[in-house]
Amino acid sequence: MREEKPNGRDGSTVRGTLEALADGEIDVAEAESRIAGYATTAAGRFDAAREDRRGIPEAVLAEGKRPAETAALATTALETTGRALVTRASPDHAAAVREAVGDAAPDASVDHDEVTRTVVVHAAGFEPPALSATIAIVTAGTADAPVAGEAAVIAREVGASVDRIDDVGVANLDRLLDQIERIREADVVVVAAGREGALPTVVAGLVAAPVIAVPVSTGYGEGGEGAAALAGALQSCTVLTTVNVDAGFVAGAQAGLIARAIDGGD
């Protein structure tokens, strides 16, 4: 079990935090995040202690926020945790984050993926955790890639190795069977599929690892927009776990937690 630390994140005492602030070693945002567990900005409160408390780094959901608000929260994340994760980011959100980070931390790396709509920022010298576990991210088709990619980004940031296996949908089972041994090597499997969403059920019947189904809002007509895929995953006759439609972040985080448990059991 992880040892409980007194009065703040990372084992910092309140006195030690205040002394570091007085000496100029940390800024106000970092001091607040150590003591309160979160940092307050004009755009909202950033949960800087989530990774220590939950094992999953906090992410900034850009959808529904103005670019400036997203950028403010991202820079606060960078200041308090050494990295920032932004999901559902438009090009305008990504540009605002890049500009704000460039001003606040010119040496930080900024990686914007237009397909997954994610932005990952690492401070100079930041070292992500490394787990001895592999997560396979499997897609039925190319249209499932954005959601699967979001899951992959989160799984990597939790520290797991990620193996992407794309376009193995059930319209041609040979595509899946060609890759099944590779999928079986993973410790956890995330399967993203839209339309009728059959792939997670099939995969779960062929592997021993935990399988997480991600229904994707592809398809049209009756059962479209992920409805049939969600219903099929919930009614699966094979054992799997199902997250909400397009919930790539949740799937990646849940797979990451399983990977952490596997790594801790070694």
Side-chain angles (χ1 to χ4, degrees), residues 2 9-10 48-56 260:
R2 187 172 63 179
R9 262 184 345 113
D10 299 328
R50 179 167 297 192
E51 186 167 11
D52 292 327
R53 185 181 71 248
R54 189 70 180 89
I56 304 165
R260 278 170 54 92

Side-chain angles (χ1 to χ4, degrees), residues 47-262:
D47 186 355
R50 179 167 297 192
E51 186 167 11
D52 292 327
R53 185 181 71 248
R54 189 70 180 89
I56 304 165
E58 172 72 309
V60 178
L61 175 64
E63 198 169 70
K65 295 182 178 70
R66 291 176 294 182
E69 293 170 331
T70 301
L73 287 167
T75 54
T76 299
L78 186 64
E79 291 169 358
T80 56
T81 68
R83 68 173 158 191
L85 306 179
V86 182
T87 62
R88 308 298 167 97
S90 69
D92 287 343
H93 287 117
V97 170
R98 190 179 296 278
E99 181 178 359
V101 169
D103 292 339
D107 294 334
S109 65
V110 181
D111 181 13
H112 172 220
D113 189 317
E114 293 186 3
V115 174
T116 63
R117 295 189 294 162
T118 57
V119 182
V120 178
V121 184
H122 285 172
F126 176 80
E127 295 184 5
L131 302 177
S132 181
T134 299
I135 298 172
I137 308 287
V138 182
T139 65
T142 304
D144 306 314
V147 175
E150 184 180 82
V153 167
I154 303 308
R156 288 191 188 99
E157 289 300 310
V158 172
S161 299
V162 171
D163 186 15
R164 285 289 300 269
I165 302 166
D166 293 315
D167 202 14
V168 292
V170 299
N172 181 352
L173 280 175
D174 288 338
R175 296 184 300 181
L176 173 62
L177 296 177
D178 284 346
Q179 300 296 323
I180 195 61
E181 293 304 323
R182 181 175 161 194
I183 298 172
R184 284 173 175 158
E185 292 176 358
D187 299 293
V188 193
V189 183
V190 174
V191 185
R195 298 187 69 88
E196 85 284 11
L199 184 62
T201 293
V202 175
V203 171
L206 296 173
V207 303
V211 174
I212 300 171
V214 190
V216 179
S217 58
T218 54
Y220 44 84
E222 181 67 23
E225 298 184 350
L230 175 61
L234 291 174
Q235 291 285 0
S236 174
C237 62
T238 56
V239 176
L240 51 77
T241 299
T242 304
V243 300
N244 209 345
V245 176
D246 292 342
F249 175 88
V250 178
Q254 186 73 345
L257 287 176
I258 297 171
R260 278 170 54 92
I262 292 169

